[in-house]
Amino acid sequence: MFGNLLKTSLLMAAIVALFGAIGAFVGGVNGMLLALLVGGAMNVYAYWNSDTMVLRMYNAREVDAVSAPQFYALVRELAERAALPMPRVFVIDEAQPNAFATGRDPEHAAVAATTGILQMLSARELRGVMAHELAHVAHRDILISTISATMAGAISALANVAMLFGGRDEEGRPTNAIAGLAISLLAPLAAMLIQMAISRGREFEADRGGAEISGDPQALADALEKIEAYAHGRILPAAEAHPETAQMMILNPLSGGGLGRLFSTHPPTAERTGRLRAMAMGRRFT
């Protein structure tokens, strides 16, 4: 609990510092102060509203025991096993198989799955996936991923402003254009590295926690392999438009390879499934 609170605090501080650095470039001391104020306000706004923003980005629709009885009952059963409040349940009308959890705490959590994953996975595999998402809720790290996703997008937008309008020194004179280009490239990269530092370890822990909630590590391993195989060639438009949200998904939803894979917020699927299968065989999950 304390560790996740510390991570959240450090994340917020790092994001605000990036805002300040870009503000200082654009408008000197006054620009830095204004950017720090805006960054702090956005952190507060993201804390209370980032889950709604992300669900809206993905055009997620809320379902219940009437509109999606099997899916809703599955989530309810897992939430009871994990001793968690029942989260809100959403469906995203997209072919790519994927899922995520969001919300600032277990009392205000939501889980979402694409129609692609609901149609593709067996009931047992889907149970493993949703147990993974509820493990994120139980570990109280969904706030970290949601805030980092929304704030990373804001930093990229602010960096683009710096590139387009350039910087000013204390006397209002234009600064080096090359510095503006560097800021526009390095600021989003820094935000992405912050996400990476937190996200990869979180996925391993959610795999472990999900396997414990469901009692079936093999099911989650099978689901991850199937999702990776089916996801290729199936674009998730909202993720492509908002790549900062990719780290929230159970598997990287972005279509890019090469360097993009190198900076992926998710560990290699083979490593994840290897750990899960070792866990299923009774070996220590490290």
Side-chain angles (χ1 to χ4, degrees), residues 23-64:
F25 172 77
V26 174
V29 173
N30 290 336
M32 179 183 69
L33 293 175
L34 178 60
L36 287 173
L37 180 63
V38 171
M42 288 191 70
N43 264 319
V44 172
Y45 182 82
Y47 176 84
W48 292 103
N49 300 288
S50 54
D51 54 340
T52 302
M53 293 168 61
V54 170
L55 290 166
R56 189 179 298 124
M57 287 177 188
Y58 282 85
N59 293 317
R61 54 183 173 87
E62 190 167 5
V63 297
D64 56 23

Side-chain angles (χ1 to χ4, degrees), residues 54-278:
V54 170
L55 290 166
R56 189 179 298 124
M57 287 177 188
Y58 282 85
N59 293 317
R61 54 183 173 87
E62 190 167 5
V63 297
D64 56 23
V66 175
S67 56
Q70 292 181 320
F71 183 40
Y72 193 86
L74 181 150
V75 174
R76 181 182 290 281
E77 182 257 326
L78 291 170
E80 289 174 353
R81 284 178 62 93
L84 289 169
M86 179 62 184
R88 297 170 68 193
V89 181
F90 290 81
V91 170
I92 301 166
D93 294 312
E94 292 291 349
Q96 189 194 94
N98 233 309
F100 66 86
T102 185
R104 64 181 182 272
D105 56 41
E107 288 71 33
H108 301 88
V111 293
T114 64
T115 49
I117 203 171
L118 296 176
Q119 294 165 1
M120 183 195 72
L121 297 185
S122 68
R124 176 171 164 261
E125 292 163 344
L126 181 62
R127 191 170 178 274
V129 166
M130 300 318 296
H132 169 101
E133 298 307 331
L134 288 175
H136 279 308
V137 175
H139 296 165
R140 295 178 178 267
D141 59 17
I142 52 175
L143 173 63
I144 299 173
S145 62
T146 309
I147 285 184
S148 64
T150 55
M151 298 302 288
I155 283 177
S156 296
L158 190 58
N160 287 336
V161 171
M163 181 177 67
L164 290 173
F165 296 99
R168 296 289 186 273
D169 61 19
E170 296 304 323
E171 283 72 41
R173 294 173 300 201
T175 57
N176 193 328
I178 296 178
L181 180 61
I183 286 285
S184 68
L185 294 175
L186 293 178
L189 177 61
M192 182 175 66
L193 290 174
I194 292 171
Q195 290 181 292
M196 284 179 56
I198 296 171
S199 181
R200 291 196 176 198
R202 271 193 316 105
E203 290 305 314
F204 283 133
E205 286 304 307
D207 286 345
R208 183 211 301 264
E212 290 171 348
I213 291 171
S214 69
D216 192 356
Q218 200 79 258
L220 179 55
D222 291 345
L224 290 173
E225 289 179 345
K226 190 180 286 187
I227 293 167
E228 182 169 60
Y230 276 71
H232 291 306
R234 291 172 172 81
I235 302 298
L236 188 55
E240 299 294 335
H242 305 281
E244 66 277 0
T245 65
Q247 49 117 15
M248 298 176 61
M249 300 289 176
I250 191 167
L251 214 67
N252 186 359
L254 301 178
S255 58
L259 192 61
R261 291 288 180 184
L262 179 64
F263 288 99
S264 174
T265 53
H266 293 68
T269 300
E271 187 174 352
R272 294 172 68 183
T273 57
R275 292 182 178 212
L276 286 164
R277 297 199 193 285

